[in-house]
Amino acid sequence: MNSALWLLRSGLSHPAMPAAASGTRVVMTYGQLASRAARIAGALINKFKLKPGDRVAIAAKNSPDYLALLYGIWHAGCAAVPANSKLHGAELGYILEHSGARVCFASPGTDSEIAPHAPKSLERLITIGSAEYEELFTSDSVDVAPRAGSDLAWLFYTSGTTGKPKGAMLTHRNLSIASYAYGSEVDPVSPGDAILHAAPMSHGSGLYIMQHVARLGVQVIPESGGFEPDEVFALFNHWPRMSLFAAPTMIKRLVEAPGDCNVDNIRTIIWGGAPMYVEDCLRALDRFGPRLAQIYGQGESPMTITTLTKQEIADRDHPRWRERLASCGRPYVCVEVIVTDADDNPVATGETGEILVRGDVIMAGYWRNDEATKASLRGGYLHTGDVGAFDAEGYLTLKDRSKDLIISGGSNIYPREVEEVLLTHPAVREVSVIGRPDADWGEAVVAYVVGQAPRAELDALCLSHIARFKRPKDYVFVDALPKNNYGKILKTELRAQDARRVKSPTP
Ligand code: AMP
């Protein structure tokens, strides 16, 4: 089934309902959005001669146009390739070449970044808002192209924290299942409810578009096109029952921001994509009340592996509340999640291993990369590359990715455990723990700290909470940690920085 049918249905039945807003201003109703999508589809088919299955990229900042483009691409039977507009021109060029996109819609500014890196396969680079772009909406509309559930809908390029990004092939079925799961388990949507897209729509936030289209929600796009705490607060004050998907670093910024908002207007703040430390979660809970939910997912299983619900996060009276806060919740009902050893055999409850997932939400494979597909989907399960353990009550706790595990003196040390402890110090704003090659220990634990806490106090804190061998052998105080465009800390980059530092130490 073509995902575009959800918009068609909403546009037909409720043409006057608000569909998209720029800040506080409604800019498109459902009737208008459906009509724009049908016209873009007409242009793709009749003007550009695209065929079902052809890829069309969107390299754009968040904007209401994003919705018309995404649905227009599906309406035409093509597959969307949303790419983060903050990427470098060469990185965008790689995605365009690798996906074989024939057309790319780009924001002003991103277009000129792309131009010198545009591959030969790209026939048109169209600037959103240009005269050429606006003219596409005068095209005759076409009917929604028939698509099977197994057809490609979204090529989801991974954020590439290691190596070149891979294109996870998400089908229309994958997107439907992810959307049902969100609506039924994380955040039920009622007509008129709003969703704020302050995180890139090319990634996690974009996956929440569909459920809101199906349920007649309003997609609110900040006028800044991105994440500014003051603007987020102002929008929460304006829109009743609004949800927000945010990376933990964004939530941390909201908690620390001086402004304020009417928290009663907030439906849900969903975090995911990176760990939220317990201390940060407690602060967020104090600030925003029982409105936080967690999801754990990845592009390959579009934001749908486990979830920790609002009720579980707010249930302070539960005897295992804090442990649960440190977990990423229970599997969504649409997936089977197991934890396995290196030979893919399930390990006992409580034991740590790789997290494997199976279900109708899992990608069809990696685009043009059979080798990676075979490795990732072997045995019928998605191999997440994440390491974790189930407790006896079925809650999954994520440890670090296997490549981030530190082996010191023959013992395994999960950086997150050390980070959680260091973050309880009031002067520690952010922290990232890595292993530094060491002649005696194999690896030595090193903590990069944003904030100015005395070393002795950090040492004492560790000694009172975790085994002595896990205590950092060195603390490095920095102004900021290396992060990618999604706000994820880049440990690979941090290790490289650390190696340079050790080679030529600064006084
Ligand atoms: P991406 O596909 O770029 O969204 O990255 C997915 C990865 O982010 C996962 O494989 C995890 O390593 C990490 N991740 C996602 N959600 C969470 C979460 N709730 N807690 C900790 N790490 C997460």
Side-chain angles (χ1 to χ4, degrees), residues 21-73:
S22 174
T24 55
R25 200 165 38 93
V26 173
V27 292
M28 262 185 280
T29 62
Y30 269 97
Q32 290 164 334
L33 178 57
S35 155
R36 278 177 88 76
R39 287 172 188 277
I40 274 284
L44 293 176
I45 290 174
N46 295 322
K47 195 171 159 82
F48 300 154
K49 310 289 176 212
L50 297 195
K51 301 267 174 299
D54 280 346
R55 275 80 55 215
V56 179
I58 312 174
K61 293 196 184 90
N62 290 358
S63 77
D65 283 284
Y66 215 106
L67 302 166
L69 289 172
L70 187 63
Y71 277 92
I73 293 166

Side-chain angles (χ1 to χ4, degrees), residues 1-3 145-153 171-173:
M1 189 209 77
N2 191 331
S3 305
R147 294 268 83 191
S150 54
D151 283 329
L152 180 64
T171 64
H172 288 280
R173 180 176 302 123

Side-chain angles (χ1 to χ4, degrees), residues 91-366:
E91 294 170 309
L92 289 169
Y94 173 81
I95 290 176
L96 291 172
E97 178 168 27
H98 187 258
S99 64
R102 289 177 60 189
V103 174
C104 174
F105 293 97
S107 305
T110 308
D111 53 353
S112 47
E113 269 280 316
I114 292 175
H117 303 279
K120 287 207 179 65
S121 48
L122 186 70
E123 295 162 27
R124 303 222 179 208
L125 176 59
I126 297 164
T127 306
I128 296 172
S130 65
E132 179 193 14
Y133 173 78
E134 290 303 338
E135 208 194 305
L136 300 179
F137 294 101
T138 60
S139 309
D140 289 335
S141 51
V142 289
D143 289 341
V144 173
R147 294 268 83 191
S150 54
D151 283 329
L152 180 64
W154 182 318
L155 263 189
F156 193 106
Y157 276 85
T158 56
S159 55
T161 45
T162 49
K164 290 259 188 244
K166 294 194 283 282
M169 294 191 278
L170 302 182
T171 64
H172 288 280
R173 180 176 302 123
N174 295 154
L175 297 182
S176 306
I177 306 266
S179 302
Y180 301 148
Y182 172 79
S184 69
E185 293 193 57
V186 182
D187 195 27
V189 182
S190 299
D193 285 355
I195 174 91
L196 176 61
H197 293 291
M201 288 160 89
S202 56
H203 217 73
S205 203
L207 290 163
Y208 296 154
I209 294 173
M210 285 84 70
Q211 173 68 357
H212 286 82
V213 163
R215 300 282 304 145
L216 295 159
V218 193
Q219 322 261 347
V220 178
I221 290 101
E223 276 182 291
S224 64
F227 175 77
E228 299 294 339
D230 283 349
E231 192 179 15
V232 170
F233 288 150
L235 292 174
F236 273 135
N237 283 336
H238 179 82
W239 292 98
R241 295 193 51 75
M242 188 163 74
S243 292
L244 164 72
F245 171 76
T249 45
M250 292 163 67
I251 298 184
K252 200 172 160 79
R253 278 184 61 198
L254 285 181
V255 169
E256 288 168 0
D260 214 344
C261 66
N262 174 9
V263 292
D264 291 335
N265 269 358
I266 301 177
R267 200 165 89 239
T268 312
I269 298 178
I270 306 115
W271 90 77
M276 167 96 106
Y277 299 99
V278 173
E279 283 306 309
D280 290 337
C281 183
L282 293 177
R283 283 181 206 133
L285 208 47
D286 286 345
R287 181 83 192 256
F288 298 114
R291 298 175 181 86
L292 294 157
Q294 179 186 189
I295 57 100
Y296 156 56
Q298 55 178 205
E300 293 82 346
S301 178
M303 301 326 252
T304 312
I305 299 176
T306 64
T307 177
L308 191 66
T309 63
K310 284 196 274 196
Q311 293 75 15
E312 287 164 323
I313 291 176
D315 188 5
R316 290 173 191 264
D317 296 332
H318 193 280
R320 291 176 40 75
W321 173 60
R322 272 190 85 100
E323 284 100 313
R324 286 191 176 173
L325 282 190
S327 83
C328 56
R330 294 178 304 153
Y332 281 88
V333 289
C334 60
V335 287
E336 173 195 344
V337 181
I338 56 172
V339 173
T340 64
D341 64 16
D343 299 320
D344 286 356
N345 296 316
V347 297
T349 301
E351 278 181 28
T352 299
E354 187 179 0
I355 298 164
L356 271 51
V357 194
R358 173 150 86 168
D360 283 343
V361 74
I362 305 294
M363 66 164 182
Y366 290 115

